[in-house]
Structure formats: structure tokens, C-alpha cells
Amino acid sequence: MQTTDIGSKEDGKVWHRKPNPSVSNGIIASVRSNTHQNKTVRFLHVAFDTTGESFLAGDHHGNIYVFDIIRNRFRLVQKTGQACTALAFSLRRTTEFLVALADYSIKCFDKDTKQLVSWMRGHEGAVSSISVHSSGRYAITTSSDTAQLWDLDTFQRKRKLNIRQSVGIQRVFFLPLSNTIISCFNDGSIFAWESDTLFCKYQLSAPQDGPRIHYKAFAVTRDGKTLAAGGRANLLHLWCLESRQLMHVVQMPPRVRTVRQLEFVADSFDGGSSQVLGVLSQDGIMRFINIQSFKQLFEIGSIDNAITTLAICPKGRHIVAVMDSGALNIYSVQALTQEVNKPPQPLVKVVSQGSTSDSAGMLVKVRSGTVQRPRTSGRRVPAKVLRPTAGITGDEKENDLPGGLNKKRLLGLLKAFGEYPAKYRMFLWRSLLQLPENHAAFSSLVEKGVHPAFLTLQERYPIKSQKLQRGLQRLLSALAHWSAIFGETDYLPLVAFPFAKLFQNNPLICFEVVATVIVNWCQHWFEYFPNPPLNVLSLVENVLAHHDKELLQHLVDCRITSQLYVWPLLETLFSEVLTRDEWLRLFDNVFSNPPAFLLFAAAAYVTCCRAQLLALTFRDDFEYFFHHRNNFDIDGMIKEAYRLMEATPAEVHPRSALSDFEPLLRGQYPVFNKYPTFIVEYQSQERERIRQQEAQYLQERQALALLRAEAVRRQAEEEAWCAQQELLQQAETQRRHLLQQEEAKLAQQRSKLAAMKRELKLKELQLVDATRRRFLQHQQGQCRVQLQRLDDEIHRKMALRDQETAAAVQDIEVRQMELDAKRRLFEQQLAKEQVRVNQEVEVELGAHRHRAELEETAFRDMLHSVTDLAQDTKRVLEESLAEASLHEVDHDWQTEVLKRLERAGADQERQQQLLAQMTRETRAKEEELVKLMMDMEARKWEEVVSQQAQMEEAKRKKKEQSAVPLEALQEDHILQEGLHTGQQQYLRSHRQGEMHSEPREESLPSPCPTRDPGFRPRSAPTQSSDTPVSPCPTRDPGWRPRSPPTQPSDTPVSPCPTRDPGCRPRSAPTQPSDTPVCLNNQSPSESSTPFSLDRGRAALDCGERELMKEVMELRQKLARAKAGNSSTYSSSTISQ
């Protein structure tokens, strides 16, 4: 047993010489980890990967190692710094592994890059186990209180199993090849869950009649059909998960009191239903039993060297155990099972004479017809009746196979089903080929290493899988060491590749299968080496010529020989033209029939593709056809091969040229020399000569390199010696200087020591001072903290006050918004009232225009009636018309002024913020307006008086010229027109003053009774029909003035008595007939009334009083509006 110490290494070899495990213990190597102080670093846990070629191992220092058994290497991949509690190495990404650490976390690392991939947390206790799904995508971590399901693609937790504190979890794990999760609890209950939905599928109930086991350990076979459970007893429960029933209760030996761990050992030929179960008990011994025969097969470990935990390779080839001493022991399962797998001893024994002392234990009693074996294990072996040897025929002897199989029966089953069951195919092939399994002979061939002919195999035949590449190289090298011809055969890799891929996990079986195929089915292939076997090809061509001459003639016509349509099939053993399943089915039949069947299969392939081959004419097409897969029926091809083998006559049948099947010899492989040795030897000699020349060249080059290196070394030594002498001299000089410097330094140090004493005293004083200062600073800091606390309190109160102020401001703003809304509503009402006033003005202007038209019509009628009107009268009429047109122009100007006032009002709405100032300006403008109105009134009346004087003077002149009453009437009419013009100008100026003074106030009551709808004048006497209509503005058609009193001739007549509702003119005295009269004041009783200026003054006084009254009312309204606006402005100022 080899022992390797990896304490201070990060990589290296596991063993330094090829291990040779003994049958007694089966140990390949023992690995230890010791520190520099010879302290052992204990390994804690191990875990294999999915291939079984390498495993992880973690120690209690947190070091994680990867051991590669195939490459014989180990490597330190991670230093976690804390002990691991569980490992998992079977993830979907093969370079990653999971480590559960002592801090209850799970980390994922990459063994190649040594980087941390993910860090998973969530457990509150130590993780005891990690179970990975068969797909490698999910993992379940288990602790005593919970189990968690992780997604290894995102490293996120998907599910969490929480339980009561009184019921703990023993283990939760995935079943192989399924999505079922098995959970086992401390109370002995076992549940099966669906991993996707966590639906409970079933429960396994422990038997109630027997003793309680208290399950602690569990194991499942690779096919997920059998569950083994053990605990605090020497009993094991075997459950069938398909029927969900307890199959067996296995009682272990009395020395087993507690089961600590259970593991199944996989086998390549059991189809996943493992039959060997390993049981680790409390004494540290792992016992392996067969669960079918319930026999103990072997055991590992001992009481002195106990096993703590272990892991078994998924392929069942190696076992890695963590020992109680902290070391790792690597076991070979093949070495441990070598005694178990030995064939039983023959039942027939030969009795020989000899000393009784040597043969007394093995003595066999011979009885007629029966042979009995001695008792060896205490059990009674049932006697078997042996058939007489004379009754065994040659055919039966030939058809009998190892393991009690019969070749004829297998052939019948094969013809019935077309193939052997995949589960038993390898076993049947081993039985049909009668493989000897010569371990020693094969090991001697493998130990010779890689053959020189296959050193560059990877360059000629690159294979993606490194494992398969190494297996193929090992197989070809063993064949080349067995026989020299195989090192020179170019197509040998094509022959061996399908078997190497099929048996890559068992190199011994692979080698013996290929050797058996070469010895039996490749007979006479190497007689024409290095050319193809023309004799074998001619056999196939003869069969084809006998059964399908047309096809053969077509191939001959196309110059296609058997080297092109038969040899590609044989040299690759049909692996290029068949799929894996088709190839397996074909070789089920090949191995079950004589060696000639392979040649019939080649002929059958050609005949089955007859139609396709007849359609081909070019050589390249034929080459492509026989080197690529084609669509055809494999069952039809096999049936055709059987038909050809049965229908071929003896003179053409290949069996006449081929020998019968001969299995390999046991113990040693047969000598294979059926080939032209001189050619092979010549090539071998040439290759050896080239190799020797190359080796000699390499030796010479190496010697030359050594000479050069020696010369360089000597030159370097000489230079180093010279440099060393110089350095010695320099060192002597330097030492002298150093001594002087040391003396000077010593003096300096003494002075420094005294200075240091003084400095220490000063430092003490400084420390006392610094302590005092720190205390003062501490007090200051406390004061600052207190001040800061007060400042914070002040700031908090200020902030609170600011918040309250902001809330009050917001309330004021809301009130301001309400007041603004009320003000806009009030302005809207004012605008509506202004629109109403404008409409009344327009109605009044329309009425005035209508009356003017009526007056003009009457005047024109009067002009037509008076045909002898004088030229002066015409001139007066023209002036009246011009004045009427002037009135129309004034009306248009007034309309334009109204429009401009409306625009000014709109502009005034946008200047509401200056309402107080505008009020003061409005009051000043009112005073100016009153003054202006009074000035305009004075000027107008002055003009009226002057016009009256002129008219009186004109009347006097006319009286002098003519005393016709019509002229007086015309003059009176002209006077009335003048008065009417003055009255209109007064009213226009009065309206403009109203509009400019308060455009937004409500309409004032009209001083004229014609504007007031409620005014009802008294009835007046009807005028005479011949009296012309007065143009005076009696605005209401229903107004009738009273009969004015008779006044003297110099009293002015009121231009419009309707202006003053309370004004009642006194009765004027009766005037003579020649006195001019006012048409508006005429009554039926009086034909004419003298015109008086005093009456006009009275009317002006009355209008002035009315105007002053209106101005006072307007001022009152403005004062009220100003008071309301000032209160609104003050409230808005407060809110701001």
C-alpha cells in the first residue's frame, strides 16, 4: 500500500508507482495531509463526480482537493477557511461543485478557475447532506430543522420545507432518474413528493409489529426502484418503491448494533438494479452484502482503522473512505470482488491416492450417479445428478455456453425478436464469445505503455471525448503489443472504435472482444498485407455472382471491384453505414452465427441496396455510397443474410475457406502470426531504424547542449570567482569602515539615550497635559452636544412655526382665491350691465334716427306745400339739412367712442390690481368732468342765445319785408331746430360724462321722462291740424305738455320741458298774434305763443339740477365700490 502526504502541496501525483491492490484489503493508495509540525489535518467528506474518474475531498481546515484517479493527479482547488459539512460534485456544469460550510452557508466554486460562483444562505443549522437531481439542475440541502430546494441555474431558492420543532429531519434526497423527492423524518416516517408541485405521492409506513429501527441511513439503487433504510438496530428494511411495499427485513450480524451509512455498489451489467449493498456500522467496518442471496461478500476497514464515511464511484470501480485517523483510503472494487467473481470449482473431482493428512478436509464422497461436495460454510449443498458423459453429443457440447446458456435457444430467441435485450446484451456477448477474462495477461500488455505506432493517434483520428480517446489508444497499443501486425494496420482503429465506445468502462472485456473478432471473423484478412484481403473479398464476390449476376455485371461494367463495395464495409465492420442500434442488432446476429455470417451480411447489404446501386454509374458515387449511411431496412438485410447463408451451395459457401469459431485461451492469449512476417518485420525494422537514428540524433544534440551548458557554467564559475575575490576585498574594506562607524554610532547612541530619557520625561508631562486637554475637550464636546441639542430644538420649533405659517398662508390664499372668484363674478355682472346699457343707447339712437327721418319727411312735405319760399328760407333749410347730417356724423362718432370705451373697459379689467389708484383718478376725473360739462353747457347756451338774437334780428328784418305768418312759422321752426340741436349736444355730453365717469356701474335712472318707462305724462290738448310738427325731442310719443302760462316775449322758452319731471312752467300771458310761438308749447286754444328766454333759462336750471343730482348719485356709488375694493385689497395683502 502506497501512502502519499499532500500537506504542503497544491498539486502532484496520488501514487508514484503503479498500484497493485491486494485481494485482502484492495487498497490502491492512502492519502494523508500533515502540516510542518507533523500535525494531521483530518479529511471530513468526499464526493465523486458523475463520471467516477475524480472525486472531491475536504478537510477541517477548509481545503478542498480534486483527485483524478485516471490521470493520477490531485490539485488544491479552494481554501474556504472553515470546515465543510457536505460536498456535491455532480452538477450539470461539470467544473462546478457545492460545499456546505460550518457557518450554515452553501457555496458554489469552479474547480478550474477557482472562483466563487454563488453563495447561498437560508439554513439556521449545519447542512448535513446535499442531494443533486440527476439532471444536475436542482439541489436539495438538508439540515436538522429544514430542507431547501435550490435552482442551480439561478442559485435561487425555489421551495422550503418547514417542520415542527419536535419532529426533526433525517434526510431529504432525489430519487435517481425521476422527479420524486424522498423525505425521512426522526419519527421514522418516509414521504415521497413530486418535485415540481410538492404534491405528496405516497408514504412508506414502517411495520408496527417488529422493533422500531429509528432510521438514520438511506440508499437507493440507480434505477430508483429499491430503497434501503437502517438505523439504531442491526436490521435493514428493503422497500420496493414501485409497489410501495416492504420487501425484506435483513438482519445483520450481531456485531452490528447501529447502521451509520448505506451505499449501493453499481455494476455495468445490472441495468441499474444494484445487487450489492454496503453497510457501515458503528464499529467502522463497511460490510458488503448481496440483497438477493443475503450473503456477505467482503468488507473493508477494521476496528483499529475504522471508517468514518465513504463514497462509492457511480460506475462501481472505486471506493474512497475517510478513516478515523483522518486519512483517505482509495479501494479497488475489482480487487475486492476478485474472489467473489471466481467461477465455482468443478463438481467432478478425481480421487487420488496420497496422505490422508493433506486431503482429509477436501475428501469427496463418491456415490453412484451423484457427486457431493464437502461442507464448507455450514450449509448443506443439494446434491445434483450428473449425466453420464457418454450421452453428451458433439452438437450439444458445441452449443453449451458458460452460465448455463444454450446457443441454439439464444439463436431462436434472436430470430424471433430480432435482437437481444439491451439489459442483457453485454452478458450474452460475453457468453457467446466465451471471453476468458485474462486479467494478468491483459495487465502485462497494458503495462507496456503506449505503442509507438499510436503515439499520434489523436492527430489521425481526433475524438472529442478525451476518455474515449485514451481508451482507444490503450486498446490499440495492447493489440499492437500482442501482435506486431496490428501496429502496422491502418484500418485497425476503424475496426476497434465501435467496441471501444461500447466497452469504454471495461477495457479488459473490450480488448478480448476485439481480439476474438480478429481471430474468428477477420480470418485471412492479413495474408495480403498491406493490401486488402483479396481472398476474402473474392468469397463475397462469388456469393454475389451466384445470387445476383445482374448486379455484379453492373458493377463490373462500371469498373467497380470488391475492394470498393465490400472492403469499406468489412474494414469498418459496418460502423460507417449503420446507426448504433442497427449495428448492435447486426452484431447480435454476427456473434450468434459462424464467422462466415459477416461475409453474408456484406453481400446482403449490397443486394438490399440493389436498386440504388443499379442507378449509379460513377466511381465517386459508389465510394460515397459505401462510406455513408443509406436508407434501408436492417431487418430485411439480416433476413437476406440468413437466406444467402442457407441458399448458397457448398462449393461457393465461405465456410469452406473459414475455420469454425475458436474462443481465446484462458491464462494467456494465443499467438497471432497469420500475416506476411517479412513485410511487417521490414516495416518494423525500418521504423526501429528511424527511431534509433532519431534517438541518436537526440542524444548527440543533448550531448552538444550539455557541452555548451558546461562551457557556460565554467565561464560563469570563473566570473563568479573573480567577482567573489573583488567582493571579499570590498567586504574587508567595508568591515573596517563599519567598525569605525559602529564606534561612532555607539557614542551617538549613548548621547541619544540621555536625550531619550529627557524626552521620556517630557512625554510624561505632555501626556499629563494631553490628558487634561482631552478632559477639557470632552467637557467642551458635551457642551457642544448640549448646544447642538438646543439648536435642534429651536430649529424644530422654527420649522413647526414655519409649517403653521405656511398653513395659514395657504388658508389666506384659498380665501384670496374665493375673493378673486367673487370679484370676477362681480366684474362679470358689471360687464353684463354695461352691455345692457349699450343696447339701450343703441335703441335710443335708432329711435332718434327714426324721428329725424320723420321730421325730415314732414319738412320736405312742408317745402313742397310752400312753393313760393324765398331764397333765404331755402338757405335756412339747407343749413338745417347740413346740421342733420352733422348730427348723423356725431352719432357715428358716438358709436365709435362706445366701441373704444368697450375696449378700454376690457383693458381696465386686466388692471384690477391698481383699483384703489384708479378710484382716486376717477374721482379727480369726475370733478374735471363736471367742470367740463358746466363749461360746455355755458358755451352751448351762449351759442343758443346768440342764435336766438340772430333769429330775432332776422325775424325783425323779415317782418319789415313781409308780414306773412308763414315766415314767422318758418322762423319759429328754425328756432326750434336750434334748440333741439343744443338739447342733443347737451344729452350727448351728459352720456359721455356718465360713460367716462363709471363705465362699470349700473345704469342710472334717466333724468328725462321719456327714458323712464314708469313715467306717465299728463295729457295735453291736441294741437291744430295745420300746425307743423315740432322737431323738439319729446322722446315719449305719449307725452303731452301742459298749457304753458303766458309769459312776456323776452322770457326764453324751455327747449325740452320733459327733462325735468317736477318742473312745471307757469302760464304765460297771452301774446299778440304776430309774436312768434313755440310749436311744442302750442295748445289748441292758443294759436301762437311768444318765445321767451326766461323759460329757456329755467329749463337749463332744471337740467343743471338734474345733472348735479346724477353726479352725487354717481359719487355715492363710486364711494361704495371703493370701500368694497379697499377691503378686498387689504384682505389679499394680508394673505400675501
Side-chain angles (χ1 to χ4, degrees), residues 103-157:
D103 61 352
Y104 312 150
S105 65
I106 302 101
K107 293 184 179 181
C108 180
F109 295 98
D110 191 297
K111 70 180 181 67
D112 292 341
T113 62
K114 300 182 181 181
Q115 298 295 324
L116 176 64
V117 178
S118 181
W119 192 347
M120 298 174 285
R121 289 182 175 273
H123 284 279
E124 297 180 356
V127 177
S128 59
S129 66
I130 301 175
S131 175
V132 181
H133 191 263
S134 57
S135 64
R137 181 179 178 183
Y138 302 103
I140 294 178
T141 57
T142 307
S143 60
S144 61
D145 57 345
T146 183
Q148 300 184 15
L149 176 63
W150 303 88
D151 188 343
L152 298 183
D153 288 341
T154 60
F155 295 100
Q156 298 294 326
R157 184 174 62 192

Side-chain angles (χ1 to χ4, degrees), residues 854-1136:
L854 292 177
E855 290 174 0
E856 185 179 359
T857 304
F859 183 72
R860 286 180 182 176
D861 293 341
M862 183 182 64
L863 289 179
H864 286 297
S865 64
V866 182
T867 56
D868 52 352
L869 191 62
Q871 295 297 327
D872 294 337
T873 303
K874 291 181 179 180
R875 181 178 55 79
V876 172
L877 291 176
E878 290 177 357
E879 290 177 357
S880 298
L881 291 174
E883 189 173 359
S885 63
L886 183 61
H887 290 335
E888 292 181 359
V889 172
D890 291 341
H891 176 264
D892 296 337
W893 177 81
Q894 185 178 4
T895 304
E896 181 67 24
V897 168
L898 289 175
K899 292 181 180 180
R900 292 182 180 180
L901 287 174
E902 291 177 358
R903 291 193 295 270
D907 296 338
Q908 192 173 5
E909 289 179 359
R910 292 191 297 269
Q911 299 177 358
Q912 290 298 328
Q913 298 178 355
L914 303 177
L915 185 61
Q917 183 178 359
M918 290 175 66
T919 305
R920 293 193 296 271
E921 293 177 357
T922 304
R923 185 177 299 173
K925 288 182 181 180
E926 285 178 3
E927 295 177 357
E928 293 178 359
L929 179 61
V930 171
K931 292 180 182 180
L932 181 62
M933 290 174 62
M934 295 179 66
D935 294 341
M936 289 179 64
E937 185 178 1
R939 286 197 299 271
K940 292 295 183 182
W941 284 114
E942 287 177 0
E943 291 177 358
V944 170
V945 171
S946 61
Q947 288 179 2
Q948 286 181 355
Q950 291 177 2
M951 289 175 64
E952 288 177 358
E953 186 177 356
K955 286 180 181 180
R956 286 194 299 270
K957 288 182 182 180
K958 289 181 179 180
K959 287 179 180 180
E960 292 176 359
Q961 294 178 1
S962 175
V964 182
L966 181 60
E967 293 180 357
L969 183 63
Q970 295 295 334
E971 290 176 0
D972 193 9
H973 178 70
I974 292 170
L975 180 60
Q976 293 295 332
E977 288 289 338
L979 291 174
H980 177 62
T981 302
Q983 185 181 3
Q984 288 181 348
Q985 291 177 357
Y986 169 74
L987 289 173
R988 188 182 301 113
S989 64
H990 180 62
R991 288 195 193 96
Q992 292 177 357
E994 280 184 18
M995 295 176 184
H996 285 291
S997 62
E998 187 57 42
R1000 296 185 179 273
E1001 295 294 333
E1002 298 179 356
S1003 60
L1004 299 176
S1006 175
C1008 184
T1010 58
R1011 296 187 181 184
D1012 190 2
F1015 177 76
R1016 297 175 179 266
R1018 299 179 180 179
S1019 60
T1022 308
Q1023 295 182 1
S1024 58
S1025 61
D1026 58 350
T1027 305
V1029 180
S1030 174
C1032 186
T1034 56
R1035 299 302 175 99
D1036 190 359
W1039 180 80
R1040 297 180 182 275
R1042 298 178 181 177
S1043 299
T1046 306
Q1047 293 181 358
S1049 60
D1050 57 352
T1051 301
V1053 182
S1054 177
C1056 185
T1058 61
R1059 296 278 181 172
D1060 189 5
C1063 178
R1064 299 185 177 183
R1066 291 175 294 179
S1067 302
T1070 307
Q1071 297 294 334
S1073 60
D1074 57 351
T1075 303
V1077 294
C1078 180
L1079 297 178
N1080 291 334
N1081 297 329
Q1082 279 186 340
S1083 61
S1085 61
E1086 295 177 353
S1087 61
S1088 63
T1089 304
F1091 181 79
S1092 177
L1093 294 175
D1094 292 336
R1095 183 180 297 175
R1097 290 190 183 93
L1100 289 175
D1101 294 335
C1102 181
E1104 184 177 359
R1105 286 194 299 273
E1106 292 176 358
L1107 181 61
M1108 293 301 296
K1109 184 178 179 181
E1110 292 175 358
V1111 169
M1112 292 299 293
E1113 291 177 356
L1114 182 61
R1115 285 182 177 179
Q1116 292 176 1
K1117 290 182 179 180
L1118 290 174
R1120 289 195 296 272
K1122 179 179 179 182
N1125 292 331
S1126 63
S1127 63
T1128 304
Y1129 178 76
S1130 62
S1131 63
S1132 64
T1133 306
I1134 293 172
S1135 65
Q1136 293 177 359

Side-chain angles (χ1 to χ4, degrees), residues 398 407 516-523 525 536 570 589-601 645 653-655 657-662:
E398 182 182 356
K407 190 172 184 180
T516 305
V517 170
I518 291 174
V519 170
N520 293 276
W521 281 272
C522 298
Q523 298 180 32
W525 280 27
V536 177
L570 296 179
N589 293 271
V590 170
F591 291 155
S592 302
N593 287 279
F597 185 82
L598 183 63
L599 304 181
F600 285 109
M645 186 172 62
H653 204 289
R655 66 168 170 258
L658 299 177
S659 303
D660 294 334
F661 174 78
E662 293 182 2

Side-chain angles (χ1 to χ4, degrees), residues 589-652:
N589 293 271
V590 170
F591 291 155
S592 302
N593 287 279
F597 185 82
L598 183 63
L599 304 181
F600 285 109
Y605 182 84
V606 176
T607 55
C608 288
C609 301
R610 184 175 185 277
Q612 301 177 13
L613 293 174
L614 290 176
L616 301 178
T617 56
F618 296 102
R619 183 181 181 88
D620 295 339
D621 296 340
F622 282 100
E623 291 180 357
Y624 181 85
F625 182 85
F626 287 102
H627 284 87
H628 293 79
R629 294 175 183 175
N630 303 288
N631 294 325
F632 73 101
D633 185 12
I634 185 63
D635 295 331
M637 171 190 164
I638 295 173
K639 292 178 181 179
E640 180 67 15
Y642 279 110
R643 188 190 68 82
L644 294 177
M645 186 172 62
E646 293 175 358
T648 303
E651 62 273 9
V652 187

Side-chain angles (χ1 to χ4, degrees), residues 317 465 467-468 474 499-507 510:
R317 293 194 295 266
S465 175
K467 178 182 178 182
L468 182 58
R474 188 188 307 113
F499 299 102
K501 189 174 183 181
L502 191 62
F503 297 96
Q504 57 179 332
N505 295 326
N506 198 334
C510 181

Side-chain angles (χ1 to χ4, degrees), residues 347-349 364-367 369-373 383-384 386:
L347 297 177
V348 179
K349 298 291 184 177
V364 178
K365 297 181 180 180
V366 181
R367 294 182 182 179
T370 62
V371 178
Q372 292 184 353
R373 297 181 61 187
K384 295 184 179 180
L386 301 179

